[in-house]
Amino acid sequence: MFNRVRFDLGASPIGVKDLPTPVRKAQAATAFDPEMEALLFQYGRYLLISSSRPGGLPANLQGLWNDTNGPAWHSDYHSNINVQMNYWPAEVTNLSECHYRSST
């Protein structure tokens, strides 16, 4: 699933790829870093793929990576925009099978 989309916005300026990610992220507020943008796009796809597998629960506020029994917001589901927003990119990023559909 992951390899079915390529997203190329061009090359980042020379030397930018060698910078640590936090520095690149901070610089992105004032300068376009095309390869960082493409990386973040693919990272979002990765998160949707890994948190939306058949037979599992839909993605929630903390996801399946929660490492505590007392997470913020109780790691629960809300019947408001939060759960819907997790799946907005599913169709347009070629991940239709990750789009959560209730079995009821």
Side-chain angles (χ1 to χ4, degrees):
M1 283 194 284
F2 186 80
N3 291 326
R4 66 171 74 142
V5 169
R6 267 200 253 172
F7 191 55
D8 185 351
L9 297 172
S12 295
I14 295 173
V16 171
K17 288 194 290 189
D18 296 331
L19 295 172
T21 301
V23 173
R24 288 179 77 181
K25 184 179 172 206
Q27 289 182 353
T30 58
F32 181 55
D33 183 349
E35 290 177 275
M36 183 68 160
E37 297 288 335
L39 177 67
L40 291 173
F41 171 83
Q42 293 291 17
Y43 180 60
R45 291 182 73 247
Y46 164 79
L47 291 174
L48 185 59
I49 291 167
S50 60
S51 69
S52 302
R53 304 304 298 149
L57 295 170
N60 64 9
L61 294 176
Q62 278 78 36
L64 54 95
W65 305 277
N66 181 34
D67 64 352
T68 179
N69 287 330
W73 303 292
H74 308 290
S75 194
D76 57 1
Y77 297 94
H78 300 274
S79 59
N80 60 17
I81 200 69
N82 289 329
V83 173
Q84 295 173 31
M85 286 172 53
N86 290 330
Y87 292 93
W88 281 351
E91 304 296 332
V92 296
T93 59
N94 203 9
L95 294 172
S96 296
E97 60 268 70
C98 291
H99 201 143
Y100 181 75
R101 290 171 176 85
S102 174
S103 60
T104 57

